[in-house]
């Protein structure tokens, strides 16, 4: 048996699935004119193609099958953006720590600071810095915990009836500066706020950073032992930061074309 005949007989079905003007099919049919065995193989291939053409179209894949097939792809895509997000977490948390350190050194406290004041300030700052990092995944929870920690710090250290509203406005401003710093050092938070996290992330980051600012005020504020002042302006500043963070997440921005 020649090589051409062997090729046609072994691949009759495949050759007949080719377009009529395909060179390989045309050569096979030319050869089959003088070879009964090859002609029979091509005819059998043609019948097989006809039967296949009569089969109904297969049903579309189910939603479950599509989900299973797409899950690994989506997971691999999901892992990509998390590298820059880790940098965002580190930078934002570092900014909150920097806010506590810098704001805590800006003004001298009128009275010597005891170990208890330093311990409470450091603990509140640690909660604020950790909260900023955690807010990327648990924004609303962090906002609530930051407010609770702020109130606890005020209640644990405050007494008397002093409000000191003028000083309080400066205290609120200090906490808002602390709340803004994470967004200043990680500006791409603004560019990704709609895709990831939304208002909860902004509220949590702002509230936690404001708590770090309150920790600094615990060392610098002249009324750091006045209960009404602490609750209205120090804890109020944390709540205001959370509210402003929520509003900021909804401000539309235009990216350059």
């Amino acid at each position: 048996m020649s090589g051409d005949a062997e090729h046609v007989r072994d691949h009759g079905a495949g050759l007949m699935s080719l377009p009529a003007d395909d060179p390989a099919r045309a050569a096979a049919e030319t050869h089959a004119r003088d070879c009964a065995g090859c002609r029979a193989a091509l005819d059998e291939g043609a019948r097989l193609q006809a039967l296949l053409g009569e089969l109904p179209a297969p049903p579309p894949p189910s939603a479950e099958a599509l989900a299973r097939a797409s899950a690994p792809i989506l997971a691999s895509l999901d892992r990509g953006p998390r590298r820059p997000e880790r940098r965002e977490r580190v930078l934002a948390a570092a900014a909150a720590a920097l806010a506590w350190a810098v704001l805590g050194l800006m003004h001298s406290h009128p009275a010597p600071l005891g170990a208890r004041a330093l311990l409470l300030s450091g603990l509140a700052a640690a909660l604020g810095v950790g909260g900023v990092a955690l807010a990327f995944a648990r924004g609303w929870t962090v906002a609530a915990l930051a407010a609770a920690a702020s109130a606890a710090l005020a209640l644990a250290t405050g007494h008397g009836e002093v409000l000191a509203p003028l000083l309080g406005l400066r205290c609120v401003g200090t906490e808002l500066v602390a709340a803004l710093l994470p967004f200043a050092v990680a500006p791409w938070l603004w560019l990704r706020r709609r895709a990831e996290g939304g208002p909860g992330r902004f509220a949590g980051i702002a509230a936690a950073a404001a708590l770090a600012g309150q920790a600094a005020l615990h060392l610098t504020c002249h009324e750091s032992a006045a209960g009404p002042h602490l609750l209205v302006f120090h804890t109020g500043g944390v709540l205001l930061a959370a509210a402003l963070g929520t509003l900021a997440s909804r401000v539309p921005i235009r990216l350059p074309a």
Side-chain angles (χ1 to χ4, degrees):
M1 183 186 298
S2 69
D4 288 343
E6 184 177 354
H7 174 73
V8 171
R9 294 185 185 185
D10 290 344
H11 301 89
L15 290 168
M16 295 307 292
S17 68
L18 298 174
D21 58 351
D22 184 273
R25 176 173 173 174
E29 291 182 328
T30 299
H31 167 79
R33 293 187 189 126
D34 301 321
C35 180
C38 291
R39 181 71 265 168
L42 292 180
D43 290 343
E44 184 66 25
R47 286 193 293 272
L48 177 60
Q49 293 301 321
L51 290 174
L52 292 176
E54 294 174 359
L55 293 176
S62 65
E64 292 78 7
L66 290 174
R68 286 195 300 271
S70 62
I73 300 172
L74 294 176
S76 64
L77 293 175
D78 220 12
R79 285 192 292 270
R82 299 200 180 278
R83 294 192 185 92
E85 182 170 294
R86 282 194 288 271
R87 292 195 295 270
E88 291 171 8
R89 287 174 185 260
V90 172
L91 284 174
L98 181 65
W100 172 67
V102 172
L103 294 174
L105 295 174
M106 286 182 62
H107 305 287
S108 60
H109 196 278
L113 295 174
R116 183 173 184 269
L118 292 171
L119 178 62
L120 288 175
S121 176
L123 178 59
L127 291 174
V129 172
V132 168
L134 183 60
F136 281 73
R138 298 288 186 271
W140 291 120
T141 300
V142 168
L145 292 176
S150 172
L153 178 61
L155 292 172
T157 58
H159 54 79
E161 299 179 356
V162 177
L163 184 61
L166 292 180
L167 176 63
L169 293 177
R170 190 181 74 178
C171 292
V172 171
T174 298
E175 291 187 2
L176 293 182
V177 169
L180 180 62
L181 277 180
F183 301 101
V185 302
W188 54 90
L189 282 170
W190 293 87
L191 305 181
R192 299 173 59 190
R193 69 187 185 282
R194 295 192 184 280
E196 300 179 25
R201 172 177 289 188
F202 267 49
I205 292 174
L211 177 62
Q214 181 182 354
L217 288 175
H218 191 67
L219 302 176
T220 64
C221 178
H222 289 205
E223 300 296 344
S224 59
H229 175 83
L230 296 179
L231 286 172
V232 172
F233 296 107
H234 291 205
T235 298
V238 172
L239 295 174
L240 179 60
L244 292 177
T246 303
L247 293 176
S249 73
R250 301 180 185 278
V251 175
I253 58 174
R254 292 184 178 275
L255 299 178

